[in-house]
Amino acid sequence: DVKVTQSSRYLVKRTGEKVFLECVQDMDHENMFWYRQDPGLGLRLIYFSYDVKMKEKGDIPEGYSVSREKKERFSLILESASTNQTSMYLCASSSRKDTEAFFGQGTRLTVV
Amino acid sequence: AQKITQTQPGMFVQEKEAVTLDCTYDTSDPSYGLFWYKQPSSGEMIFLIYQGSYDQQNATEGRYSLNFQKARKSANLVISASQLGDSAMYFCAMSRMDSSYKLIFGSGTRLLVRP
């Protein structure tokens, strides 16, 4: 079974903290994605990566950065967390050959 | 730029009836893929169906079919014989099919199946 694992299910952080969200996949997928999901807005793409050390901005990259030093791991970094970054964060991965993306269980981040 | 639009925030359907969820898209890429995902209240994302831009026939997977109209840039999901377990959020998505594979989603449609 394909597995995409996000490091935390729930996270509470303080405003101004640096926050790391980790995502690991075990299927040797080239592509990895970070989304945030907010009611009424669907899934919005923050960053994606199509190879190790390769990354591209999605539609809402402001306030976020990413790191992909190894193929299986894609990290989302909130440099200085703010309350408007309170959201559900979803990681996904896919192969160039496959037509389906596989999702992690999500991290619900609350910034107080 | 790519864009996905789902104009129905919520829909009701009677059990055992068919329902169509709308999706329109915009892209200048010649090669792209279209997807539908289901998200039940548990939060997991479940892949339902895929259509490639060069596929001649509409995709079908069991009770799900994708009504692909390329000229109109629409990729509607049709669910036949609705079941109570079909109540969920449904997301339409689109990908570029080149070396920089970008996958974007619409805002979703919440479907409620009435008994």
Side-chain angles (χ1 to χ4, degrees):
Chain A
D1 263 0
V2 174
K3 219 169 194 178
V4 179
T5 305
Q6 294 182 228
S7 52
S8 305
R9 197 74 197 265
Y10 299 94
L11 215 49
V12 180
K13 295 292 181 180
R14 295 197 181 278
T15 302
E17 273 194 80
K18 191 168 185 175
V19 181
F20 293 85
L21 302 184
E22 306 285 346
C23 177
V24 177
Q25 49 95 3
D26 64 0
M27 284 301 292
D28 202 37
H29 283 169
E30 295 87 1
N31 307 309
M32 295 189 76
F33 311 87
W34 274 107
Y35 299 90
R36 63 176 284 176
Q37 182 176 8
D38 301 288
L41 298 176
L43 278 71
R44 292 181 292 167
L45 181 63
I46 304 171
Y47 268 95
F48 66 105
S49 168
Y50 50 91
D51 206 342
V52 177
K53 296 192 191 288
M54 305 301 288
K55 59 190 178 187
E56 274 196 36
K57 293 179 181 178
D59 297 322
I60 52 162
E62 297 78 19
Y64 303 94
S65 62
V66 289
S67 170
R68 191 157 181 212
E69 295 296 318
K70 292 185 178 180
K71 193 174 185 180
E72 67 270 18
R73 186 179 296 268
F74 192 35
S75 303
L76 180 69
I77 304 151
L78 287 67
E79 296 290 342
S80 176
S82 64
T83 54
N84 62 14
Q85 292 177 310
T86 291
S87 187
M88 171 67 83
Y89 289 86
L90 290 168
C91 174
S93 73
S94 73
S95 163
R96 289 205 192 104
K97 302 184 192 69
D98 290 337
T99 55
E100 176 185 352
F102 297 86
F103 282 81
Q105 77 277 30
T107 297
R108 184 164 294 283
L109 173 68
T110 303
V111 183
V112 298
Chain B
Q2 294 173 288
K3 189 176 180 183
I4 289 273
T5 303
Q6 293 180 254
T7 57
Q8 306 154 312
M11 287 192 71
F12 290 97
V13 65
Q14 207 66 33
E15 194 179 7
K16 297 180 186 172
E17 290 185 352
V19 63
T20 298
L21 306 185
D22 294 341
C23 173
T24 58
Y25 61 92
D26 193 18
T27 183
S28 55
D29 296 311
S31 180
Y32 52 91
L34 296 156
F35 306 76
W36 279 92
Y37 284 81
K38 173 184 177 181
Q39 187 181 46
S41 56
S42 57
E44 62 189 301
M45 291 289 283
I46 301 168
F47 167 75
L48 296 178
I49 196 166
Y50 166 81
Q51 178 88 40
S53 59
Y54 290 115
D55 293 343
Q56 296 294 316
Q57 293 199 319
N58 286 345
T60 59
E61 289 286 348
R63 294 186 299 110
Y64 304 108
S65 60
L66 199 153
N67 184 1
F68 180 45
Q69 298 188 40
K70 196 170 183 177
R72 296 181 60 187
K73 293 191 173 178
S74 74
N76 299 339
L77 178 70
V78 180
I79 305 174
S80 63
S82 297
Q83 302 172 355
L84 296 178
D86 293 336
S87 294
M89 281 292 290
Y90 289 81
F91 292 101
C92 182
M94 176 171 64
S95 66
R96 291 203 297 244
M97 304 303 273
D98 59 17
S99 58
S100 167
Y101 182 99
K102 182 179 181 182
L103 178 64
I104 63 165
F105 285 77
S107 55
T109 296
R110 182 170 296 281
L111 177 67
L112 287 177
V113 181
R114 289 175 168 148

